Amino acid sequence: MAEKKRILTGDTPTGKLHLGHWVGSVENRVAMQAEYDCYFIIANKHAFTTRADRPEDIRQSVIEIATDYLACGIDPQRSAMFIQSEVPAIDELTFYFSMLIPFNRVMRNPTLKDEIRDKGLGDNYPFGFPLYAVGQCADILAFRPQLVPVGEDQLPHLELSREVARRFDQMYCGVDPHTEDKDYVKAGGLFPIIEPKLGRVKRLVGTGAPSAETGELLKMSKSLNNAIFLSDDADTVQKKIMGMYTDPKRVRATDPGETDPEKNPLWAYHETFNPDTAWVDEHREMYKAGKVGDVAVKRKLVEVINTLIDPIRSKRKQYEQRPDDVIDALRLGTQKANAVAEETLHLAKQALKQDYFGKRALSLR
Ligand code: TRP
């Protein structure tokens, strides 16, 4: 039987999963389990970039995310969900990779810049903050995956992974720099030049008002306090949606007759989550014409969102009663992840000429 292709993706544990995670990536992951050998990383060390003073919160978030994965339908027998810090090969690779990328190149990463701006970090971020971007290359490449399903905001990190892989393969595996990306492994490279796979919605906006600075609606994010969580109860969903920001102008002056979903999360959400497209089209027209108000459209959205997350919520309740099952799933996934990552590290050390003791050295851990 041919081996299944591998995918690797994951989340930084900053809290529970929300609707943005769902349409950006989690929905995809659940669907891809049948076809791919899946690895889902819970990037707990990345959480230390901004919360090093709150280790207990990070620990709690890891458990929350794992519980959310299981509630969403990640099957721990088929897919490996694992804890980043328990896979030491990733750290070892990070160190070598960090030598292949100029510091200024890392700092040009727009995702880092956005994070610094949106979280108001100024120049007050730790040394490990930019390092996490290199670490993410190792998260990915340790698994030598064919595909990396992510939201749009992760594309700069994936581009960096592609650069690191090309450099490593050229420098240590003798791959000709003119080789096409898809042929690097065939040409003797250890690392594939990975491809992103975007979710059905690239960037889901939050429930809050646009940024005072840029005028853009901000991405849904726990830290921006604008998220609807997959674990929110029905009343909370209702409260969040009924109190959600809507475009006060309704119709953008520059775009007569068009509501702009980028400016109005209400329609962005209906377009994303409401399966009744006829209802959405009809009511969007009525909304534009002022024949239906925010309240009615919001009420409908409450119904739609609660229908989506009801089954997730009830499955989550079951797992909350069985915390040991969550830990067991993480343990099993972490074991599987270590097997692959150790193999990659071994091959990388050979390429780097730093394999002094052969494979047996690995068992000394
Ligand atoms: N940076 C990602 C996020 O914040 C999480 C992550 C860490 C990740 N390592 C990864 C995603 C590797 C994809 C692949 O959501």
Side-chain angles (χ1 to χ4, degrees):
M1 205 176 77
E3 257 188 52
K4 282 186 187 169
K5 290 184 174 175
R6 275 203 290 262
I7 66 175
L8 176 290
T9 184
D11 297 286
T12 304
T14 50
K16 299 172 178 179
L17 292 182
H18 53 60
L19 289 175
H21 293 115
W22 176 256
V23 286
S25 182
V26 177
E27 177 187 54
N28 245 338
R29 297 179 203 173
V30 173
M32 290 173 100
Q33 291 184 99
E35 208 185 321
Y36 291 87
D37 194 12
C38 297
Y39 292 84
F40 302 125
I41 185 169
I42 304 182
N44 59 331
K45 290 215 237 180
H46 292 190
F48 280 81
T49 55
T50 53
R51 292 189 297 154
D53 57 336
R54 278 149 47 212
E56 190 58 48
D57 288 3
I58 296 173
R59 185 192 182 94
Q60 189 55 35
S61 288
V62 168
I63 303 300
E64 301 287 7
I65 297 269
T67 310
D68 278 329
Y69 282 172
L70 294 168
C72 286
I74 300 296
D75 172 1
Q77 297 304 323
R78 265 199 303 191
S79 304
M81 52 177 220
F82 68 96
I83 301 178
Q84 183 185 43
S85 63
E86 295 292 330
V87 180
I90 291 172
D91 300 85
E92 294 189 44
L93 289 170
T94 301
F95 203 95
Y96 297 115
F97 289 167
S98 72
M99 306 303 164
L100 301 180
I101 289 292
F103 183 66
N104 290 337
R105 165 67 187 87
V106 176
M107 293 314 291
R108 275 202 308 276
N109 180 326
T111 299
L112 292 192
K113 285 191 189 163
D114 286 356
E115 242 176 303
I116 291 170
R117 190 195 58 216
D118 293 345
K119 296 181 181 165
L121 303 179
D123 51 13
N124 234 338
Y125 50 80
F127 179 77
F129 178 75
L131 183 64
Y132 104 73
V134 183
Q136 184 156 342
C137 299
D139 295 342
I140 295 170
L141 295 176
F143 294 86
R144 289 170 286 149
Q146 268 80 12
L147 274 185
V148 184
V150 285
E152 195 171 44
D153 63 310
Q154 298 296 308
L155 291 179
H157 291 322
L158 269 51
E159 194 47 49
L160 198 66
S161 302
R162 291 157 57 81
E163 285 178 38
V164 166
R166 284 190 203 103
R167 230 169 267 156
F168 189 103
D169 288 347
Q170 290 169 16
M171 208 178 269
Y172 304 120
C173 309
V175 174
D176 183 312
H178 301 295
T179 305
E180 276 187 57
D181 284 347
K182 63 173 178 40
D183 295 331
Y184 263 68
V185 173
K186 238 187 292 167
L190 172 56
F191 295 112
I193 315 306
I194 50 103
E195 293 291 336
K197 178 174 167 59
L198 289 173
R200 149 173 95 88
V201 172
K202 293 177 184 59
R203 176 183 183 273
L204 188 70
V205 296
T207 55
S211 144
E213 224 173 282
T214 65
E216 297 283 313
L217 287 171
L218 295 166
K219 175 185 145 170
M220 184 176 281
S221 149
K222 162 169 163 138
S223 54
L224 300 172
N225 217 352
N226 64 5
I228 297 173
F229 296 98
L230 299 176
S231 47
D232 279 344
D233 62 36
D235 283 351
T236 306
V237 169
Q238 170 156 4
K239 273 199 206 98
K240 286 184 178 174
I241 291 175
M242 298 313 286
M244 180 163 114
Y245 170 85
T246 51
D247 184 3
K249 288 205 266 331
R250 285 193 162 210
V251 177
R252 219 168 35 145
T254 50
D255 234 351
E258 287 294 321
T259 57
D260 181 354
E262 278 301 310
K263 289 241 174 349
N264 197 332
L266 189 51
W267 289 104
Y269 291 166
H270 266 296
E271 280 156 21
T272 305
F273 297 107
N274 191 337
D276 187 352
T277 51
W279 188 99
V280 177
D281 291 345
E282 186 191 335
H283 285 77
R284 197 193 297 100
E285 289 311 308
M286 289 165 64
Y287 187 86
K288 278 192 259 180
K291 293 191 186 126
V292 60
D294 281 339
V295 173
V297 180
K298 284 179 173 176
R299 282 217 177 101
K300 181 71 181 176
L301 185 62
V302 171
E303 216 180 284
V304 166
I305 299 296
N306 273 328
T307 304
L308 170 74
I309 66 185
D310 249 341
I312 299 176
R313 206 152 39 201
S314 59
K315 209 162 165 200
R316 196 181 203 284
K317 286 246 162 61
Q318 294 169 14
Y319 277 108
E320 284 166 9
Q321 307 303 313
R322 302 179 345 235
D324 291 351
D325 288 2
V326 178
I327 293 292
D328 285 345
L330 284 168
R331 185 183 297 110
L332 179 65
T334 303
Q335 275 163 358
K336 283 198 222 167
N338 268 313
V340 179
E342 289 291 343
E343 173 73 15
T344 302
L345 178 63
H346 173 67
L347 295 169
K349 281 181 174 174
Q350 278 183 334
L352 289 157
K353 308 283 180 244
Q354 307 305 308
D355 57 332
Y356 299 102
F357 308 121
K359 222 175 178 178
R360 273 198 56 213
L362 301 176
S363 65
L364 293 179
R365 278 202 222 287

